Coordinates of all heavy atoms in Angstrom, one line a residue:
M1 N 0.8 -1.2 0.0 CA 0.0 0.0 0.0 C 0.9 1.2 0.0 O 0.6 2.2 -0.7 CB -0.9 0.0 1.2 CG -2.0 1.0 1.2 SD -3.2 0.6 2.3 CE -4.2 2.0 2.4
E2 N 1.9 1.2 0.8 CA 2.9 2.3 0.8 C 3.4 2.6 -0.6 O 3.6 3.8 -1.0 CB 4.0 2.0 1.8 CG 4.9 3.1 2.1 CD 5.9 2.7 3.1 OE1 5.6 2.7 4.3 OE2 7.1 2.3 2.7
E3 N 3.8 1.6 -1.3 CA 4.4 1.7 -2.6 C 3.4 2.4 -3.5 O 3.8 3.3 -4.4 CB 4.8 0.4 -3.2 CG 5.9 -0.3 -2.5 CD 7.2 0.4 -2.6 OE1 7.5 1.1 -3.6 OE2 8.0 0.4 -1.6
K4 N 2.1 2.1 -3.4 CA 1.1 2.7 -4.2 C 1.0 4.2 -4.0 O 0.9 5.0 -5.0 CB -0.3 2.1 -3.9 CG -1.5 2.6 -4.7 CD -2.8 1.9 -4.4 CE -3.3 2.6 -3.2 NZ -4.7 2.1 -2.8
Y5 N 1.1 4.6 -2.8 CA 1.1 6.1 -2.5 C 2.3 6.8 -3.0 O 2.2 7.9 -3.6 CB 1.0 6.3 -1.0 CG -0.4 6.1 -0.4 CD1 -0.6 5.1 0.6 CD2 -1.5 6.8 -0.8 CE1 -1.9 4.8 1.1 CE2 -2.8 6.6 -0.3 CZ -2.9 5.6 0.6 OH -4.2 5.3 1.2
I6 N 3.4 6.1 -2.9 CA 4.7 6.7 -3.4 C 4.6 6.9 -4.9 O 4.9 7.9 -5.4 CB 5.9 5.9 -2.9 CG1 6.1 6.0 -1.4 CG2 7.2 6.3 -3.7 CD1 7.1 5.1 -0.8
T7 N 4.1 5.8 -5.6 CA 4.0 5.9 -7.0 C 3.1 7.0 -7.4 O 3.4 7.8 -8.4 CB 3.5 4.5 -7.5 OG1 4.4 3.5 -7.1 CG2 3.4 4.5 -9.1
K8 N 1.9 7.1 -6.8 CA 0.9 8.1 -7.1 C 1.6 9.5 -6.9 O 1.4 10.4 -7.7 CB -0.3 8.0 -6.3 CG -1.2 6.9 -6.7 CD -2.5 6.9 -6.0 CE -3.5 5.9 -6.5 NZ -4.8 6.1 -5.9
L9 N 2.3 9.7 -5.8 CA 2.9 11.0 -5.5 C 3.9 11.3 -6.5 O 3.9 12.4 -7.0 CB 3.5 10.9 -4.1 CG 4.3 12.2 -3.6 CD1 3.3 13.3 -3.5 CD2 5.0 11.9 -2.3
L10 N 4.7 10.4 -6.9 CA 5.8 10.6 -7.9 C 5.1 10.9 -9.3 O 5.5 11.8 -10.0 CB 6.7 9.4 -8.0 CG 7.6 9.2 -6.8 CD1 8.4 7.9 -7.0 CD2 8.6 10.4 -6.6
N11 N 4.1 10.2 -9.7 CA 3.4 10.4 -10.9 C 2.7 11.8 -10.9 O 2.8 12.5 -11.9 CB 2.3 9.3 -11.2 CG 3.0 8.0 -11.6 OD1 4.1 7.9 -12.0 ND2 2.2 6.9 -11.4
F12 N 2.1 12.1 -9.9 CA 1.4 13.4 -9.7 C 2.5 14.5 -9.9 O 2.3 15.5 -10.6 CB 0.7 13.6 -8.4 CG 0.1 14.9 -8.2 CD1 -1.0 15.3 -8.8 CD2 0.7 15.8 -7.3 CE1 -1.5 16.6 -8.6 CE2 0.2 17.0 -7.0 CZ -0.9 17.4 -7.7
S13 N 3.6 14.4 -9.1 CA 4.6 15.4 -9.2 C 5.2 15.6 -10.5 O 5.5 16.7 -11.0 CB 5.7 15.1 -8.2 OG 5.2 15.0 -6.9
S14 N 5.5 14.4 -11.2 CA 6.1 14.5 -12.6 C 5.1 15.2 -13.6 O 5.5 15.9 -14.5 CB 6.6 13.2 -13.0 OG 5.5 12.3 -13.2
D15 N 3.8 14.9 -13.4 CA 2.8 15.5 -14.3 C 2.7 17.0 -14.1 O 2.7 17.8 -15.0 CB 1.4 14.9 -14.1 CG 1.3 13.5 -14.6 OD1 2.2 13.1 -15.4 OD2 0.4 12.8 -14.2
I16 N 2.8 17.4 -12.8 CA 2.7 18.9 -12.5 C 3.9 19.6 -12.9 O 3.9 20.7 -13.3 CB 2.4 19.0 -11.0 CG1 1.0 18.4 -10.6 CG2 2.4 20.5 -10.6 CD1 -0.2 19.0 -11.4
M17 N 5.0 18.9 -12.6 CA 6.3 19.6 -12.8 C 7.0 19.2 -14.2 O 8.2 19.1 -14.3 CB 7.3 19.3 -11.7 CG 6.7 19.8 -10.3 SD 7.7 19.3 -9.0 CE 9.0 20.5 -9.2
C18 N 6.2 19.0 -15.2 CA 6.7 18.5 -16.5 C 7.7 19.5 -17.1 O 8.6 19.1 -17.9 CB 5.6 18.2 -17.5 SG 4.6 19.6 -17.9
N19 N 7.6 20.8 -16.7 CA 8.6 21.8 -17.2 C 9.9 21.7 -16.6 O 10.9 22.3 -17.0 CB 8.0 23.2 -17.1 CG 6.8 23.4 -18.0 OD1 6.6 22.7 -19.0 ND2 5.8 24.2 -17.5
A20 N 10.0 21.1 -15.4 CA 11.2 21.0 -14.7 C 12.2 20.0 -15.4 O 11.7 19.0 -16.0 CB 11.0 20.5 -13.3
K21 N 13.5 20.3 -15.3 CA 14.4 19.4 -16.0 C 14.5 18.1 -15.3 O 14.7 17.0 -15.9 CB 15.8 20.1 -16.1 CG 15.8 21.3 -17.0 CD 17.1 21.8 -17.2 CE 17.0 23.0 -18.2 NZ 18.2 23.3 -18.9
E22 N 14.5 18.1 -14.0 CA 14.6 16.8 -13.2 C 13.7 16.9 -12.0 O 13.5 17.9 -11.4 CB 16.0 16.6 -12.7 CG 17.1 16.3 -13.8 CD 18.4 16.1 -13.2 OE1 18.5 15.3 -12.2 OE2 19.4 16.7 -13.6
L23 N 13.2 15.7 -11.7 CA 12.4 15.6 -10.4 C 13.1 14.5 -9.6 O 13.0 13.3 -10.0 CB 11.0 15.3 -10.6 CG 10.1 15.0 -9.4 CD1 10.1 16.2 -8.5 CD2 8.7 14.6 -9.8
I24 N 13.9 14.8 -8.6 CA 14.6 13.8 -7.9 C 14.0 13.8 -6.5 O 14.0 14.8 -5.8 CB 16.1 14.1 -7.8 CG1 16.6 14.1 -9.3 CG2 16.8 13.1 -7.0 CD1 18.1 14.6 -9.4
I25 N 13.5 12.7 -6.1 CA 13.0 12.5 -4.7 C 13.3 11.1 -4.3 O 13.1 10.1 -5.1 CB 11.5 12.8 -4.6 CG1 11.0 12.7 -3.2 CG2 10.7 11.9 -5.5 CD1 9.6 13.3 -3.1
T26 N 13.9 10.9 -3.1 CA 14.2 9.6 -2.7 C 12.9 8.9 -2.1 O 11.9 9.6 -1.8 CB 15.3 9.6 -1.6 OG1 14.7 10.3 -0.4 CG2 16.5 10.3 -2.1
K27 N 13.0 7.6 -1.9 CA 11.9 6.9 -1.3 C 11.7 7.4 0.1 O 10.5 7.5 0.5 CB 12.3 5.4 -1.3 CG 11.1 4.5 -0.8 CD 11.5 3.1 -1.0 CE 10.4 2.2 -0.5 NZ 10.8 0.7 -0.7
E28 N 12.7 7.7 0.8 CA 12.5 8.1 2.2 C 11.9 9.5 2.2 O 11.1 9.8 3.1 CB 13.9 8.2 2.9 CG 14.5 6.8 3.2 CD 13.5 5.9 4.0 OE1 12.9 6.3 5.0 OE2 13.3 4.7 3.5
Q29 N 12.2 10.4 1.3 CA 11.6 11.7 1.2 C 10.1 11.6 0.9 O 9.3 12.2 1.5 CB 12.3 12.6 0.2 CG 13.6 13.1 0.6 CD 14.3 13.7 -0.6 OE1 14.3 13.3 -1.7 NE2 15.0 14.8 -0.3
A30 N 9.8 10.7 0.0 CA 8.4 10.4 -0.4 C 7.6 9.9 0.8 O 6.5 10.3 1.1 CB 8.3 9.4 -1.5
K31 N 8.2 9.0 1.6 CA 7.6 8.4 2.8 C 7.3 9.6 3.8 O 6.3 9.6 4.4 CB 8.5 7.4 3.5 CG 8.5 6.0 2.7 CD 9.4 5.1 3.5 CE 9.5 3.8 2.8 NZ 10.4 2.8 3.6
G32 N 8.3 10.5 4.0 CA 8.1 11.6 4.9 C 7.0 12.5 4.4 O 6.2 12.9 5.3
I33 N 6.9 12.8 3.2 CA 5.8 13.6 2.6 C 4.5 12.9 2.9 O 3.5 13.6 3.3 CB 6.0 13.9 1.1 CG1 7.2 14.8 0.9 CG2 4.8 14.5 0.5 CD1 7.7 14.9 -0.5
I34 N 4.4 11.6 2.6 CA 3.1 10.9 2.8 C 2.7 10.9 4.3 O 1.6 11.1 4.6 CB 3.3 9.5 2.3 CG1 3.4 9.5 0.7 CG2 2.1 8.6 2.7 CD1 3.8 8.2 0.1
K35 N 3.7 10.7 5.2 CA 3.4 10.7 6.6 C 2.9 12.1 7.0 O 1.9 12.2 7.8 CB 4.7 10.4 7.4 CG 4.4 10.2 8.8 CD 5.7 9.7 9.5 CE 5.4 9.4 11.0 NZ 6.5 8.7 11.6
E36 N 3.5 13.2 6.5 CA 2.9 14.5 6.8 C 1.5 14.7 6.3 O 0.7 15.2 7.0 CB 3.8 15.6 6.2 CG 5.2 15.8 7.0 CD 6.0 16.8 6.3 OE1 5.5 17.8 5.8 OE2 7.2 16.7 6.3
L37 N 1.3 14.2 5.1 CA -0.1 14.4 4.6 C -1.1 13.6 5.4 O -2.2 14.1 5.6 CB -0.1 13.9 3.1 CG 0.6 14.8 2.1 CD1 0.7 14.1 0.7 CD2 -0.1 16.1 2.0
E38 N -0.7 12.4 5.8 CA -1.7 11.6 6.6 C -2.0 12.2 7.9 O -3.1 12.1 8.4 CB -1.1 10.2 6.8 CG -1.1 9.3 5.5 CD -0.4 8.0 5.7 OE1 0.4 7.8 6.7 OE2 -0.6 7.1 4.9
Q39 N -1.0 12.9 8.5 CA -1.2 13.5 9.8 C -2.1 14.7 9.7 O -2.9 15.0 10.6 CB 0.1 13.9 10.4 CG 0.9 12.7 10.9 CD 2.3 13.1 11.4 OE1 2.8 14.2 11.2 NE2 3.0 12.2 11.9
D40 N -2.0 15.4 8.6 CA -2.7 16.7 8.4 C -4.1 16.5 7.8 O -5.0 17.3 7.9 CB -2.0 17.7 7.5 CG -0.7 18.2 8.2 OD1 -0.7 18.1 9.5 OD2 0.2 18.6 7.6
Y41 N -4.4 15.3 7.2 CA -5.6 15.1 6.4 C -6.6 14.3 7.2 O -6.3 13.2 7.7 CB -5.3 14.4 5.1 CG -6.5 14.1 4.3 CD1 -7.2 15.1 3.7 CD2 -7.0 12.8 4.2 CE1 -8.3 14.9 2.9 CE2 -8.1 12.6 3.5 CZ -8.8 13.6 2.8 OH -9.9 13.3 2.1
V42 N -7.8 14.9 7.4 CA -8.9 14.2 8.1 C -10.1 14.4 7.2 O -10.6 15.5 7.0 CB -9.2 14.9 9.5 CG1 -10.3 14.1 10.1 CG2 -8.0 14.9 10.4
P43 N -10.5 13.3 6.6 CA -11.6 13.3 5.7 C -12.9 13.9 6.3 O -13.3 13.4 7.4 CB -11.8 11.9 5.2 CG -10.6 11.2 5.6 CD -10.0 11.9 6.7
K44 N -13.5 14.8 5.7 CA -14.7 15.4 6.2 C -15.9 14.4 6.3 O -16.7 14.5 7.3 CB -15.2 16.6 5.4 CG -14.2 17.8 5.6 CD -14.7 19.0 4.8 CE -13.8 20.2 5.1 NZ -14.2 21.4 4.4
A45 N -15.9 13.5 5.4 CA -17.0 12.5 5.4 C -16.9 11.6 6.7 O -18.0 11.3 7.3 CB -16.9 11.6 4.2
I46 N -15.7 11.3 7.1 CA -15.6 10.5 8.4 C -16.0 11.3 9.6 O -16.7 10.8 10.5 CB -14.1 10.0 8.5 CG1 -13.8 9.0 7.4 CG2 -13.9 9.4 9.9 CD1 -12.4 8.6 7.4
I47 N -15.7 12.6 9.6 CA -16.1 13.5 10.7 C -17.6 13.6 10.7 O -18.2 13.5 11.8 CB -15.4 14.9 10.6 CG1 -13.9 14.7 10.7 CG2 -16.0 15.8 11.6 CD1 -13.1 16.0 10.5
K48 N -18.2 13.7 9.6 CA -19.7 13.9 9.5 C -20.4 12.6 10.0 O -21.4 12.7 10.7 CB -20.1 14.2 8.1 CG -19.8 15.6 7.7 CD -20.2 15.9 6.3 CE -19.8 17.3 5.9 NZ -20.1 17.6 4.5
L49 N -19.8 11.4 9.7 CA -20.3 10.2 10.2 C -20.2 10.1 11.7 O -21.1 9.7 12.4 CB -19.6 9.0 9.6 CG -19.9 8.7 8.1 CD1 -19.0 7.6 7.6 CD2 -21.4 8.3 8.0
E50 N -19.1 10.5 12.2 CA -18.9 10.5 13.7 C -19.8 11.5 14.4 O -20.4 11.1 15.4 CB -17.4 10.9 13.9 CG -16.8 10.3 15.2 CD -17.0 8.8 15.4 OE1 -16.8 8.0 14.5 OE2 -17.3 8.5 16.5
I51 N -20.1 12.6 13.8 CA -21.0 13.6 14.3 C -22.4 12.9 14.4 O -23.1 13.1 15.4 CB -21.1 14.9 13.5 CG1 -19.8 15.7 13.8 CG2 -22.3 15.7 13.8 CD1 -19.6 16.9 12.9
K52 N -22.8 12.2 13.3 CA -24.1 11.6 13.3 C -24.2 10.5 14.4 O -25.3 10.4 15.0 CB -24.4 11.0 11.9 CG -25.7 10.4 11.7 CD -26.7 11.6 11.7 CE -28.1 11.1 11.5 NZ -29.2 12.0 11.9
K53 N -23.2 9.8 14.6 CA -23.2 8.7 15.6 C -23.4 9.4 17.0 O -24.1 8.9 17.9 CB -21.9 8.0 15.6 CG -21.7 7.0 14.6 CD -20.4 6.2 14.7 CE -20.1 5.4 13.5 NZ -18.7 4.8 13.6
L54 N -22.7 10.5 17.2 CA -22.7 11.2 18.5 C -24.1 11.8 18.7 O -24.7 11.8 19.8 CB -21.7 12.3 18.6 CG -20.2 11.7 18.8 CD1 -19.2 12.9 18.6 CD2 -20.1 11.1 20.1
E55 N -24.8 12.3 17.6 CA -26.1 12.8 17.7 C -27.1 11.7 18.1 O -27.9 11.9 19.0 CB -26.6 13.4 16.4 CG -26.0 14.8 16.0 CD -26.3 15.3 14.6 OE1 -26.9 14.5 13.8 OE2 -26.0 16.4 14.3
N56 N -26.9 10.6 17.5 CA -27.8 9.4 17.8 C -27.6 9.0 19.3 O -28.5 8.7 20.0 CB -27.5 8.2 16.9 CG -28.0 8.5 15.5 OD1 -28.8 9.4 15.3 ND2 -27.4 7.8 14.5
K57 N -26.3 9.0 19.7 CA -26.0 8.6 21.1 C -26.6 9.6 22.1 O -27.2 9.2 23.1 CB -24.5 8.5 21.3 CG -24.1 8.0 22.7 CD -22.6 7.9 22.9 CE -22.3 7.4 24.3 NZ -20.9 7.2 24.5
Q58 N -26.5 10.9 21.7 CA -27.0 11.9 22.6 C -28.6 11.8 22.7 O -29.1 11.8 23.8 CB -26.7 13.3 22.0 CG -27.2 14.4 22.9 CD -26.9 15.8 22.3 OE1 -26.3 15.9 21.2 NE2 -27.3 16.8 22.9
E59 N -29.2 11.5 21.6 CA -30.7 11.3 21.6 C -31.1 10.1 22.4 O -32.0 10.1 23.2 CB -31.2 11.2 20.2 CG -31.2 12.5 19.4 CD -31.5 12.3 17.9 OE1 -32.0 11.2 17.6 OE2 -31.3 13.3 17.2
E60 N -30.3 9.0 22.2 CA -30.6 7.8 22.9 C -30.5 7.9 24.4 O -31.3 7.5 25.2 CB -29.7 6.7 22.4 CG -29.9 5.3 23.2 CD -28.8 4.3 22.8 OE1 -28.0 4.6 21.9 OE2 -28.8 3.2 23.4
M61 N -29.4 8.6 24.9 CA -29.1 8.8 26.3 C -30.2 9.7 26.9 O -30.6 9.5 28.0 CB -27.7 9.3 26.5 CG -26.6 8.3 26.2 SD -26.7 6.9 27.3 CE -26.7 5.6 26.1
T62 N -30.6 10.7 26.2 CA -31.6 11.6 26.6 C -32.9 10.9 26.8 O -33.6 11.1 27.8 CB -31.7 12.8 25.7 OG1 -30.5 13.5 25.6 CG2 -32.8 13.8 26.2
R63 N -33.2 10.1 25.8 CA -34.5 9.3 25.9 C -34.5 8.3 27.1 O -35.4 8.2 27.8 CB -34.7 8.5 24.6 CG -36.0 7.9 24.4 CD -36.2 7.3 23.0 NE -35.1 6.6 22.4 CZ -34.3 7.2 21.4 NH1 -34.6 8.3 20.9 NH2 -33.3 6.5 20.9
K64 N -33.3 7.7 27.3 CA -33.2 6.8 28.4 C -33.3 7.5 29.8 O -33.9 7.0 30.7 CB -31.9 6.0 28.4 CG -31.8 4.9 27.4 CD -30.5 4.2 27.5 CE -30.5 3.0 26.5 NZ -29.2 2.2 26.6
K65 N -32.7 8.7 29.8 CA -32.8 9.5 31.0 C -34.2 9.9 31.4 O -34.6 9.8 32.5 CB -32.0 10.8 30.8 CG -32.0 11.8 31.9 CD -31.3 13.1 31.6 CE -31.5 14.1 32.7 NZ -30.9 15.4 32.3
H66 N -35.0 10.2 30.4 CA -36.4 10.6 30.6 C -37.3 9.4 30.9 O -38.4 9.5 31.5 CB -37.0 11.3 29.4 CG -36.4 12.7 29.3 ND1 -36.5 13.7 30.2 CD2 -35.6 13.2 28.3 CE1 -35.8 14.8 29.8 NE2 -35.3 14.5 28.6
N67 N -36.9 8.2 30.5 CA -37.7 7.0 30.7 C -37.3 6.1 31.9 O -37.9 5.1 32.1 CB -37.6 6.1 29.5 CG -38.3 6.7 28.3 OD1 -39.2 7.6 28.5 ND2 -38.0 6.4 27.1
T68 N -36.3 6.6 32.7 CA -35.9 5.8 33.9 C -36.5 6.4 35.2 O -36.7 7.6 35.3 CB -34.4 5.7 33.9 OG1 -34.0 4.8 35.0 CG2 -33.8 7.1 34.2
D69 N -36.7 5.5 36.1 CA -37.2 5.9 37.4 C -36.0 5.9 38.4 O -36.2 6.4 39.5 CB -38.3 4.9 37.9 CG -39.5 5.0 37.1 OD1 -39.8 6.1 36.5 OD2 -40.3 4.0 37.0
N70 N -34.9 5.3 38.0 CA -33.8 5.2 38.9 C -32.9 6.5 38.8 O -32.5 6.9 37.8 CB -32.9 4.0 38.5 CG -31.7 3.7 39.5 OD1 -31.2 4.7 40.1 ND2 -31.4 2.5 39.6
I71 N -32.8 7.2 40.0 CA -32.1 8.5 40.0 C -30.6 8.3 39.5 O -30.1 9.2 38.8 CB -32.2 9.2 41.3 CG1 -31.7 10.6 41.3 CG2 -31.4 8.4 42.4 CD1 -32.6 11.5 40.5
N72 N -30.0 7.2 39.9 CA -28.6 7.0 39.5 C -28.4 6.8 38.0 O -27.5 7.4 37.4 CB -28.0 5.8 40.3 CG -27.8 6.1 41.7 OD1 -27.6 7.2 42.1 ND2 -27.9 5.0 42.5
D73 N -29.3 6.1 37.4 CA -29.3 5.9 36.0 C -29.6 7.2 35.3 O -29.1 7.5 34.2 CB -30.4 4.9 35.5 CG -29.9 3.4 35.9 OD1 -28.8 3.2 36.2 OD2 -30.8 2.5 35.8
C74 N -30.5 8.0 35.9 CA -30.8 9.3 35.3 C -29.6 10.2 35.2 O -29.3 10.8 34.2 CB -31.9 10.0 36.2 SG -32.5 11.5 35.5
Y75 N -28.8 10.2 36.2 CA -27.5 11.0 36.2 C -26.5 10.4 35.2 O -25.9 11.1 34.4 CB -26.9 11.0 37.6 CG -27.5 12.0 38.5 CD1 -28.1 11.5 39.7 CD2 -27.6 13.3 38.2 CE1 -28.7 12.4 40.6 CE2 -28.3 14.2 39.1 CZ -28.8 13.7 40.3 OH -29.4 14.6 41.2
L76 N -26.4 9.1 35.2 CA -25.5 8.4 34.3 C -25.9 8.7 32.8 O -25.0 9.1 32.0 CB -25.6 6.9 34.5 CG -24.7 6.1 33.5 CD1 -23.2 6.3 33.8 CD2 -25.1 4.6 33.6
Y77 N -27.2 8.6 32.5 CA -27.6 8.9 31.1 C -27.4 10.4 30.7 O -27.0 10.7 29.6 CB -29.0 8.4 30.9 CG -29.3 7.0 31.0 CD1 -30.4 6.5 31.6 CD2 -28.3 6.0 30.6 CE1 -30.7 5.1 31.7 CE2 -28.6 4.7 30.7 CZ -29.7 4.2 31.3 OH -29.9 2.9 31.4
G78 N -27.7 11.2 31.7 CA -27.5 12.6 31.5 C -26.1 13.0 31.2 O -25.7 13.8 30.3
D79 N -25.1 12.4 32.0 CA -23.7 12.6 31.8 C -23.3 12.1 30.4 O -22.5 12.8 29.7 CB -22.9 11.9 32.9 CG -23.0 12.6 34.2 OD1 -23.5 13.7 34.3 OD2 -22.6 12.0 35.2
E80 N -23.7 10.9 30.0 CA -23.4 10.4 28.7 C -23.9 11.3 27.6 O -23.2 11.5 26.6 CB -23.9 9.0 28.6 CG -23.2 8.0 29.4 CD -21.7 7.8 29.0 OE1 -21.4 7.7 27.8 OE2 -20.9 7.8 29.9
A81 N -25.1 11.8 27.7 CA -25.7 12.7 26.7 C -24.9 13.9 26.6 O -24.6 14.4 25.5 CB -27.2 13.0 27.0
Q82 N -24.5 14.5 27.7 CA -23.7 15.7 27.7 C -22.3 15.5 27.1 O -21.8 16.3 26.3 CB -23.6 16.3 29.1 CG -23.1 17.7 29.1 CD -23.3 18.3 30.5 OE1 -23.5 17.6 31.5 NE2 -23.3 19.6 30.6
K83 N -21.7 14.4 27.4 CA -20.4 14.0 26.8 C -20.5 14.0 25.3 O -19.7 14.5 24.6 CB -19.9 12.7 27.4 CG -18.7 12.8 28.2 CD -18.1 11.4 28.5 CE -18.8 10.7 29.6 NZ -18.2 9.5 30.0
A84 N -21.5 13.3 24.8 CA -21.7 13.2 23.4 C -21.9 14.5 22.7 O -21.4 14.8 21.7 CB -22.9 12.2 23.1
M85 N -22.7 15.4 23.4 CA -22.9 16.7 22.9 C -21.6 17.5 22.8 O -21.3 18.2 21.8 CB -23.9 17.5 23.8 CG -24.2 18.9 23.3 SD -25.2 19.9 24.5 CE -24.0 20.1 25.8
Y86 N -20.7 17.4 23.8 CA -19.5 18.2 23.8 C -18.6 17.6 22.7 O -17.9 18.4 22.0 CB -18.8 18.1 25.1 CG -19.4 18.9 26.2 CD1 -19.5 18.4 27.5 CD2 -19.9 20.1 26.0 CE1 -20.1 19.1 28.5 CE2 -20.6 20.9 27.0 CZ -20.6 20.4 28.3 OH -21.2 21.1 29.3
Q87 N -18.5 16.3 22.5 CA -17.7 15.7 21.5 C -18.2 16.1 20.1 O -17.4 16.4 19.2 CB -17.7 14.2 21.6 CG -17.0 13.7 22.9 CD -17.2 12.2 23.1 OE1 -18.1 11.6 22.6 NE2 -16.3 11.6 23.9
K88 N -19.5 16.2 20.0 CA -20.1 16.6 18.7 C -19.7 18.0 18.4 O -19.3 18.4 17.2 CB -21.6 16.4 18.7 CG -22.3 16.7 17.4 CD -23.8 16.6 17.6 CE -24.3 17.8 18.3 NZ -25.6 18.3 18.0
E89 N -19.7 18.9 19.4 CA -19.4 20.3 19.2 C -17.9 20.4 18.7 O -17.6 21.3 17.9 CB -19.6 21.1 20.4 CG -21.1 21.3 20.7 CD -21.4 22.0 22.0 OE1 -20.4 22.3 22.8 OE2 -22.6 22.2 22.4
V90 N -17.0 19.7 19.3 CA -15.6 19.7 19.0 C -15.4 19.3 17.5 O -14.7 20.0 16.7 CB -14.8 18.8 19.9 CG1 -13.4 18.6 19.4 CG2 -14.7 19.4 21.3
L91 N -16.1 18.2 17.1 CA -16.0 17.8 15.7 C -16.6 18.8 14.7 O -16.0 19.0 13.6 CB -16.6 16.4 15.5 CG -15.9 15.3 16.2 CD1 -16.7 14.0 16.0 CD2 -14.5 15.1 15.7
E92 N -17.7 19.4 15.1 CA -18.3 20.5 14.2 C -17.3 21.6 14.1 O -17.2 22.2 13.0 CB -19.6 20.9 14.8 CG -20.7 19.9 14.6 CD -22.0 20.2 15.4 OE1 -22.0 21.0 16.3 OE2 -23.0 19.6 15.0
E93 N -16.6 22.0 15.2 CA -15.7 23.1 15.1 C -14.5 22.7 14.2 O -14.0 23.5 13.4 CB -15.1 23.4 16.5 CG -14.2 24.6 16.6 CD -13.7 24.9 18.0 OE1 -14.6 24.8 18.9 OE2 -12.6 25.3 18.1
L94 N -14.1 21.4 14.3 CA -13.0 20.9 13.4 C -13.4 21.0 12.0 O -12.6 21.4 11.1 CB -12.7 19.5 13.8 CG -11.5 18.8 13.0 CD1 -10.2 19.5 13.2 CD2 -11.4 17.4 13.4
L95 N -14.6 20.7 11.7 CA -15.1 20.8 10.3 C -15.1 22.2 9.8 O -14.9 22.5 8.6 CB -16.6 20.2 10.2 CG -16.7 18.8 9.8 CD1 -18.2 18.5 9.7 CD2 -16.0 18.4 8.6
G96 N -15.4 23.2 10.7 CA -15.5 24.6 10.3 C -14.2 25.2 9.9 O -14.1 26.2 9.2
R97 N -13.1 24.6 10.3 CA -11.8 25.1 10.1 C -11.3 24.9 8.6 O -11.6 24.0 8.0 CB -10.7 24.5 11.0 CG -10.9 25.0 12.4 CD -9.8 24.5 13.3 NE -10.1 24.8 14.6 CZ -9.5 24.2 15.7 NH1 -8.6 23.3 15.5 NH2 -9.8 24.5 16.9

C-alpha cells in the first residue's frame, strides 16, 4: 500500500512539474511527505459520520434519562448525553476550520 502512495505521489509530481528538467525525490523523502499528509488530512465524510453517531447517542441517552425511574441511571444517562454533545461540538468546530 505504501508503494502505491509513493508511485501516485511521484506520478502526480512529474505531471505537475513537467517543465522541470529533473524531479529527484528519494523513497525516504516520499515516505516523509506521505506521513505529513496523513497526519494533516482528516476526511470530512468521516467526521460527519462521527457527528451523526454522536447525535444518535445523545438522543438515545436523553431518551433513556427521561424513561428511567432510577435516579442514579438518570444521572448516568444525562452525563453520557452531555459528553456526546461536547464531543459533537468539537468535531463540528473541526469541520468549520
Side-chain angles (χ1 to χ4, degrees):
M1 190 162 170
E2 185 177 283
E3 294 295 326
K4 180 178 84 172
Y5 285 117
I6 292 171
T7 304
K8 282 186 175 189
L9 179 64
L10 291 173
N11 288 340
F12 174 76
S13 298
S14 64
D15 289 344
I16 298 301
M17 301 177 75
C18 62
N19 295 331
K21 292 187 180 203
E22 290 183 52
L23 175 63
I24 299 173
I25 184 169
T26 66
K27 184 176 180 178
E28 291 306 312
Q29 288 170 320
K31 284 181 184 180
I33 292 169
I34 291 168
K35 189 173 184 174
E36 286 180 35
L37 289 172
E38 287 174 345
Q39 289 172 351
D40 291 339
Y41 178 70
V42 180
K44 290 185 177 183
I46 292 173
I47 294 173
K48 289 178 182 177
L49 286 173
E50 210 46 47
I51 287 172
K52 188 65 181 162
K53 285 181 192 176
L54 289 168
E55 285 174 351
N56 291 340
K57 183 177 181 179
Q58 182 183 359
E59 289 172 10
E60 178 187 356
M61 291 298 126
T62 302
R63 190 172 38 257
K64 284 184 177 183
K65 177 183 171 186
H66 292 297
N67 291 336
T68 187
D69 293 332
N70 185 331
I71 191 70
N72 290 331
D73 288 346
C74 186
Y75 284 119
L76 176 70
Y77 296 142
D79 288 346
E80 288 297 315
Q82 194 167 18
K83 246 193 280 187
M85 182 187 69
Y86 289 141
Q87 291 171 339
K88 184 180 79 150
E89 287 174 2
V90 168
L91 290 177
E92 287 171 341
E93 185 178 323
L94 181 63
L95 267 182
R97 290 185 190 163

